[in-house]
Amino acid sequence: MIYLAIDIGGTSIKGGFYEESGNCLKGFSFPTHGDLPGTESFAAFISNLKNEVEAFADRDSIVAAGIGCPGTIDSLKGICNFANNLDWHEVNIREAIESIIHRPVFVTNDANAALLGEMTYGDCKKYRSAILLTLGTGIGGGIYLNGELFDGEEGKGAELGHMVIVKDGEPCTCGRKGCFEAYASATALIRHGQEGVARNPNSLLAKSLVTAKSIFDAAKAGDVLANECVDWYVEHLGIGVLNYINIFRPQAIIFSGGVSNAGDRLLNPLREYLEKENWGIAGRWCAKPVLAIASLGDRSGRLGALALAVRKSK
Ligand SMILES: [Zn+2]
């Protein structure tokens, strides 16, 4: 049995023909063409995919396909309702791919796919429950409970970035103010760093472009401003993480996305914050959740799409 697994990203679409074990028999990658109108980039994707499937000798052994896609996804219908950076509106991914492989196609959003990948093929596969937070341009979220993904009606839940943590706070892309995403995404960290640089033009941080990496690097080098930025960031991240610990009491919290590249320089101060807060209301009487960095790197989306296809087609 062979599965088609695809991870649609902002710059490239990566996929492959896989065995259930996670072994990739043949991989492929196409540019996303985010510069083109959405109808054209989607048509190019489907055309490229059709060529790949036709060139794959064992195509008759494909039993199902799994797709991870950014944006708002209707996982029941397999439609991308809206993906801002792809300019996709009401794009029927399932129908288009089923017409190529003539087998069932399952679609989920990219954060859910990444979490499924980590929980099926990554270091956290030994756990039954986890929360995933992708700390990138925004915050992507995924919830995994009792061995299964929890994604709400039509797969539209688990928007973990849009919990308000500061009343009347920073504006969020969703239209509300004070969302977790507006304080704990990479964008928020960079914004805070830039504001600090404007006030402290002589700081080490002012000597290069402000990025999540430059902030953590300057903090390690002892820069006062950068350390203030990291403290500010970790405190806001900690507020959100602690809320999720109180609600779900997961075995693991998994971090991915740009800020997670800081590794222990992120996790150690976060762990200190959570210790100070006793790991939540039940923390004294319960095992502490493991804080982990996603272990599969950029393969998590594809392997999650594979896990989705395998699980749904059984
Ligand atoms: Zn929001």
Side-chain angles (χ1 to χ4, degrees):
M1 290 197 287
I2 294 172
Y3 300 87
L4 172 61
I6 301 171
D7 177 30
I8 300 171
T11 52
S12 64
I13 295 171
K14 292 180 180 168
F17 302 96
Y18 286 84
E19 294 174 312
E20 183 177 344
S21 64
N23 179 41
C24 182
L25 300 167
K26 185 170 182 289
F28 53 79
S29 175
F30 326 123
T32 305
H33 291 303
D35 50 325
L36 295 177
T39 48
E40 289 178 37
S41 64
F42 184 69
F45 160 49
I46 295 303
S47 164
N48 286 329
L49 182 64
K50 192 162 187 277
N51 292 339
E52 286 294 333
V53 172
E54 283 171 1
F56 182 62
D58 224 356
R59 61 186 173 277
D60 291 339
S61 301
I62 298 172
V63 292
I67 320 292
C69 180
T72 302
I73 306 299
D74 182 333
S75 62
L76 293 180
K77 296 189 179 133
I79 289 172
C80 172
N81 298 117
F82 177 60
N84 184 30
N85 53 7
L86 304 177
D87 186 37
W88 287 6
H89 304 265
E90 301 299 333
V91 167
N92 197 326
I93 299 172
R94 171 180 290 167
E95 192 178 78
I97 298 180
E98 277 184 352
S99 75
I100 299 172
I101 65 169
H102 308 292
R103 293 287 184 277
V105 175
F106 305 96
V107 185
T108 191
N109 99 353
D110 51 356
N112 285 334
L115 178 56
L116 258 186
E118 293 291 331
M119 300 307 284
T120 313
Y121 298 103
D123 288 351
C124 285
K125 67 182 175 193
K126 53 186 172 286
Y127 301 123
R128 296 179 311 280
S129 62
I131 297 294
L132 174 90
L133 295 170
T134 301
L135 310 172
T137 310
I139 291 188
I143 302 168
Y144 192 87
L145 300 173
N146 302 321
E148 286 182 40
L149 198 65
F150 173 84
D151 60 3
E153 280 301 305
E154 299 181 1
K156 291 189 171 79
E159 288 290 352
L160 303 182
H162 301 283
M163 167 181 61
V164 172
I165 61 167
V166 178
K167 182 175 179 290
D168 294 329
E170 295 285 340
C172 182
T173 53
C174 72
R176 297 175 82 197
K177 285 180 177 174
C179 284
F180 185 40
E181 174 171 302
Y183 290 86
S185 60
T187 307
L189 173 60
I190 292 164
R191 181 194 70 228
H192 192 76
Q194 287 169 337
E195 288 167 0
V197 163
R199 289 192 310 272
N200 303 274
N202 296 321
S203 71
L204 179 60
L205 197 54
K207 301 200 185 329
S208 60
L209 184 70
V210 177
T211 62
K213 182 177 187 304
S214 78
I215 292 170
F216 277 96
D217 286 349
K220 192 182 178 190
D223 183 58
V224 174
L225 171 62
N227 274 294
E228 182 276 323
C229 288
V230 171
D231 290 348
W232 175 90
Y233 179 81
V234 166
E235 188 179 350
H236 289 90
L237 178 64
I239 290 169
V241 166
L242 198 63
N243 288 345
Y244 293 128
I245 290 175
N246 277 337
I247 297 167
F248 297 106
R249 191 51 61 178
Q251 290 173 294
I253 314 266
I254 308 172
F255 298 95
S256 66
V259 182
S260 76
N261 292 329
D264 284 342
R265 285 186 280 155
L266 173 71
L267 297 190
N268 289 340
L270 177 62
R271 199 172 282 115
E272 271 173 40
Y273 175 87
L274 296 169
E275 280 291 344
K276 203 174 68 187
E277 299 291 336
N278 300 315
W279 296 83
I281 184 85
R284 290 164 204 260
W285 302 280
C286 193
K288 297 169 186 171
V290 170
L291 304 182
I293 302 293
S295 64
L296 299 172
D298 87 326
R299 293 184 304 144
S300 65
R302 271 166 286 161
L303 288 171
L306 167 64
L308 180 73
V310 170
R311 290 174 184 221
K312 293 279 188 184
S313 62
K314 274 193 172 153

